[in-house]
Each structure stands twice: as structure tokens, then as C-alpha cells.
Amino acid sequence: MTGDALSQDPAELQGRIDSSKAHPARVYDVFLGGKDHYPADRDAAAAALAANPRGYLDVRHNRDFLRRAVTTLVEQDGIRQFLDIGTGLPTAENVHQIAQRIAPDSRVVYVDNDPVVLAHARALLTSGPEGRTDYIDADLRDPARILEQAAKTLDLDQPVALCLVAILHFVADEEAYPLVRELLDALPVGSRLVLTHLTEDLNPEKIRAVQRTYTERGFTFVLRSRAEVERFFTENSLEIADPGIVPAHRWRPDHAAPVPERPDESYLAGLDDIEKVRYHDINDVTDADINVYAGTAAKG
């Protein structure tokens, strides 16, 4: 276990937290049933859920895609290194847990810049003895720092899976494409890109309503078409793996998404809609529910 996250001054971290404004990582935490968020984050999640009552399926299936993608890359492609940017708050089945269960020597570097995430980074650094994990306090918009720090844990002469999961829709076009290019340019042949992105292609009315709730709170929130999502792959000459860039629930489904234990109905009746989300089974998903494209690709 490593990571300068453990040496951060708690008072300094606390001073960086602006609990009056929603943050994407903490809003995501609300939808995943976590507890590491503030009223502003909960309000943003509740507004998004009101705009799209089954929108929690986007979040949960995005996460389940990551489980399947990491499993595939470790089991079938022999990938042993992961750079996960925009990690978010620790939750069940983080990348290192998935990868090291299959290949204990896997190495994972997490990157995020939210001080609340940083305060909980210890949970992301629980590597098994054969592997390594690290945490970098950095912004996606500073790829040079990310790569410099990641090289302390990862061997950048060996393949790395770059995970950009549900982060690029918070970055405008003029920044997003060059950032991805700079990160991929630093990685060797055989590396992978694991990417998910919100889109208005699939169910435009619902996701545009969600978009409004976020932009009203000051977020950059870019919905990209399939062609625009594919551009992250094609302009970097990556070989997209089957089945291509597809709605998240259709990327190699294994129907093994965890099913939460459901409490009794009297308890559920006392919860508000956002609190009930954590108990929903996501296996009843339909195409009308999902607004997320997902895909992986190899650098040749």
C-alpha cells in the first residue's frame, strides 16, 4: 500500500471542501447508496431523479460495466495495470478489488481531485501484498502531473488500462479530446482505454431534463453522440473491442449485477425516492432506461 493521500493534513482537506455546491463524485455517491456526501449533493441527485425516475440505472449500470470491463481485461487480455481517473468515492468492488481477486499482482492508481474523495482514499489503498495501489490528488486537466505521479507505481513501459468512466461529460470539447490524446500518447502499445459517456442519442427527453438540473448547478455537462464518443477512440487509432461502443447494459452482459438485499416494505415506505434507490434491482433494465455509451479498445 502506498499513496501520499495518507499524509494529507485533515484540516487542510476540510478547508478545501465546499459543501454548499454539489460535486459529481458526491452526487454519484448518493446514487450508489453511499454516505459521504452533503445536502447539496443529495439535492442535485434528487433533482436528477425527479427529472428521470429511472436515472439511477445509468449510474448503477455504468458501475457494473466497469466490473465487467476490468474482469475481461485481467482474465482475457492479461492487463495488470490500471490508471483510473475520476475515481469517485470508494464503493463496493473498486478496480483494485476486482483486478487483484483475479490477478493478485495487479497495480492500480486512482486519481481524483475532490477533497472528500481524498479523505476516504485509505479505502482505495487496501492492496493485497502482491499488488500495489496508489492515489493521486490531481485533476484530469493536468495529465502531465498524473503521468509523472503514476509512474511511481505503474511501469509505463508495460500496458496500462486507462479508465475514464463517467468523467468526460464534465469536460468541454476543446479540452476533452486533447486530454485523452495526451494520456494515451504516454502509454505503450497493448494499453487499453475503458470509457463511458452520457449521450442524448438513446432517450433524449429524459437525459436533457437531467442535464438541465446539473447545468443549473454550475456543472459543465456535455452529452455526446455515438460518433463523438467514438472519436475518443478513432482519433487515437485504437482498435475497439467487440461489441463496439454500445449502451452500457449491452456491453458483454453477464447478468451478474449484485442484487441488493431488500428490506421489508414498511421500512421502504418511510424512505424518500432517493433513499430507495440503493435497494433497487438493476437487472430489470430496458433500452429506454439507459443513456450511457460504453466501450473498450486497445492501442496498437
Side-chain angles (χ1 to χ4, degrees):
M1 181 172 73
T2 181
D4 61 3
L6 303 185
S7 63
Q8 294 283 335
D9 179 358
E12 188 271 335
L13 285 177
Q14 191 65 35
R16 285 172 52 189
I17 297 171
D18 183 354
S19 61
S20 68
K21 295 180 181 178
H23 186 284
R26 302 194 304 258
V27 175
Y28 198 72
D29 180 65
V30 177
F31 279 111
L32 291 174
K35 300 183 183 300
D36 301 311
H37 50 262
Y38 295 94
D41 308 303
R42 185 184 175 89
D43 289 347
L49 190 67
N52 181 11
R54 285 173 65 82
Y56 64 89
L57 290 164
D58 279 332
V59 176
R60 299 266 298 280
H61 275 281
N62 176 79
R63 190 78 195 181
D64 199 56
F65 158 77
L66 180 63
R67 173 186 65 81
R68 301 193 306 278
V70 171
T71 298
T72 298
L73 292 182
V74 177
E75 283 186 344
Q76 299 180 19
D77 299 348
I79 297 296
R80 297 293 182 267
Q81 301 191 110
F82 292 83
L83 178 58
D84 183 2
I85 303 179
T87 301
L89 284 147
T91 186
E93 292 292 276
N94 298 293
V95 170
H96 73 280
Q97 293 166 318
I98 301 166
Q100 290 180 357
R101 184 169 57 244
I102 303 164
D105 60 336
S106 298
R107 297 184 173 204
V108 179
V109 171
Y110 295 105
V111 183
D112 210 299
N113 70 333
D114 176 26
V116 175
V117 176
L118 184 57
H120 292 273
R122 185 180 295 272
L124 292 172
L125 300 174
T126 54
S127 174
E130 297 172 57
R132 290 184 67 188
T133 59
D134 201 354
Y135 183 96
I136 301 171
D137 177 15
D139 193 297
L140 170 62
R141 294 172 179 84
D142 191 358
R145 169 175 163 75
I146 290 172
L147 292 163
E148 177 189 11
Q149 295 297 312
K152 297 178 181 179
T153 299
L154 305 179
D155 179 354
L156 299 187
D157 292 325
Q158 297 297 318
V160 175
L162 171 63
C163 300
L164 298 172
V165 175
I167 185 173
L168 288 169
H169 41 253
F170 297 112
V171 184
D173 283 351
E174 61 270 19
E175 292 182 289
Y177 293 103
L179 287 171
V180 174
R181 187 182 314 117
E182 184 171 348
L183 289 164
L184 285 169
D185 282 350
L187 303 180
V189 169
S191 292
R192 301 299 198 273
L193 175 61
V194 179
L195 185 148
T196 66
H197 201 296
L198 284 169
T199 183
E200 61 182 357
D201 286 358
L202 305 172
N203 300 290
E205 185 176 342
K206 292 178 182 178
I207 196 62
R208 286 172 189 157
V210 172
Q211 181 185 40
R212 285 193 294 273
T213 70
Y214 281 100
T215 55
E216 287 167 358
R217 288 165 171 79
F219 288 102
T220 298
F221 202 86
V222 184
L223 301 172
R224 293 188 171 97
S225 68
R226 187 174 186 274
E228 289 168 329
V229 173
E230 280 190 337
R231 183 181 158 195
F232 289 111
F233 298 85
T234 56
E235 76 169 22
N236 292 294
S237 301
L238 303 182
E239 182 179 345
I240 299 173
D242 289 337
I245 309 304
V246 296
H249 66 304
R250 292 194 170 277
W251 194 92
R252 304 189 189 186
D254 61 6
H255 309 291
V259 179
E261 185 175 342
R262 190 172 176 87
D264 63 67
E265 293 303 317
S266 61
Y267 175 79
L268 282 175
L271 302 180
D272 63 23
D273 288 344
I274 200 68
E275 292 171 326
K276 292 177 182 175
V277 161
R278 73 183 69 181
Y279 300 112
H280 291 330
D281 180 359
I282 67 170
N283 291 294
D284 66 344
V285 66
T286 71
D287 290 349
D289 295 319
I290 296 297
N291 302 281
V292 180
Y293 280 130
T296 69
K299 182 174 178 177

